[in-house]
Amino acid sequence: MTVRIPALMLAFAAAVRAQPAGETAQVLGVPMQIVVLLTALTVLPALIVSVTPFLRITIVLHFLRQALGTQTTPSNQVLVGLALFLTFLIMQPVAGRVYAEAWEPLDRGEITVTEALRRSAEPLRRFLLSYVREKDVALIVELSRTPAPASPEELGLRILVPAYVLSELRTGFQIGAVLFLPFLIIDLVVASVTLSIGMVQLPPVMVSAPFKVLLFVLVDGWNLVVGSLVRSFY
């Protein structure tokens, strides 16, 4: 899998600085380009966490680990790494469009940095628009005290980004609640059985943990969860 890092950086920088169409700017000097690049690299981790599928994936994986009751297995590093690679996989089409429409013309000197940021904002805006809820958009528009747009195409990144975060939080918690149910049933059954036979030496959680792990392995749980997560973005 080829990940075009410059294209991703342009897309995420556009979320911070999207200029209106028709606005012109002078080409930045080398010192200012370095400052802009360092600033983008500083903001990049927060943008990856908030405006990509990384948000939903990490929430679901965290709920899954809690439901299994395995404490720190898999570790946070493994879950974050898996979420990061899945995010690159899902965002590859968006990064490809940003690379073709913004980075390549900028690299050839055909457009300015400001125009490249404006062009890279459009693919990211279309991606966010596909997964935001109308209710969350209405809330952000109300809180920002801006006039309601006549169509979704008029929504800017400053409205779409927080609305997308709210929508992804809700979706992630919904999927996590569904994942919890079968493991909760196992916990209830094991707790009822252990109490009925008077086995109080071991906590019911310790008894149910092997059964939950065994069930998850038998149904090929990782394949099902990861496959469902990725397909939910297509």
Side-chain angles (χ1 to χ4, degrees):
M1 178 184 63
T2 303
V3 179
R4 298 183 177 92
I5 299 299
L8 285 174
M9 291 178 59
L10 270 179
F12 295 136
V16 180
R17 183 187 174 190
Q19 299 292 340
E23 181 178 342
T24 59
Q26 298 295 328
V27 178
L28 298 176
V30 175
M32 185 57 66
Q33 290 180 10
I34 295 175
V35 172
V36 172
L37 178 61
L38 293 178
T39 303
L41 290 176
T42 303
V43 181
L44 187 61
L47 292 173
I48 291 178
V49 170
S50 57
V51 299
T52 65
F54 186 89
L55 177 59
R56 182 190 303 186
I57 295 171
T58 51
I59 291 175
V60 172
L61 293 181
H62 172 76
F63 271 106
L64 176 60
R65 188 175 65 179
Q66 292 293 106
L68 286 172
T70 53
Q71 303 301 325
T72 58
T73 304
S75 64
N76 290 332
Q77 290 84 352
V78 172
L79 294 183
V80 170
L82 176 61
L84 192 60
F85 282 109
L86 292 177
T87 299
F88 286 151
L89 175 66
I90 297 169
M91 294 295 292
Q92 185 69 19
V94 178
R97 288 194 294 269
V98 172
Y99 184 84
E101 298 173 9
W103 179 260
E104 286 187 337
L106 177 65
D107 193 42
R108 293 193 298 264
E110 299 174 358
I111 59 175
T112 63
V113 174
T114 302
E115 177 64 17
L117 291 176
R118 188 190 66 79
R119 290 189 182 186
S120 62
E122 185 58 26
L124 181 62
R125 193 188 68 82
R126 290 198 300 265
F127 172 81
L128 298 179
L129 192 60
S130 302
Y131 301 103
V132 295
R133 294 192 310 155
E134 183 178 349
K135 185 176 181 180
D136 294 326
V137 172
L139 174 63
I140 300 302
V141 169
E142 178 185 353
L143 293 178
S144 62
R145 297 184 179 182
T146 57
S151 64
E153 287 70 22
E154 298 180 5
L155 291 171
L157 289 176
R158 72 188 188 95
I159 300 295
L160 287 176
V161 168
Y164 174 82
V165 173
L166 292 178
S167 300
E168 288 298 285
L169 287 173
R170 181 178 184 274
T171 304
F173 273 75
Q174 282 182 328
I175 299 174
V178 173
L179 285 175
F180 246 108
L181 291 178
F183 300 108
L184 179 61
I185 293 174
I186 295 177
D187 284 332
L188 292 175
V189 171
V190 171
S192 300
V193 172
T194 54
L195 290 177
S196 63
I197 64 178
M199 190 175 66
V200 295
Q201 292 83 2
L202 290 176
V205 175
M206 293 186 63
V207 180
S208 63
F211 293 99
K212 291 190 290 186
V213 173
L214 181 61
L215 173 65
F216 190 71
V217 172
L218 288 177
V219 299
D220 200 5
W222 287 111
N223 184 283
L224 292 175
V225 171
V226 171
S228 299
L229 275 173
V230 174
R231 293 189 190 98
S232 67
F233 287 96
Y234 292 107

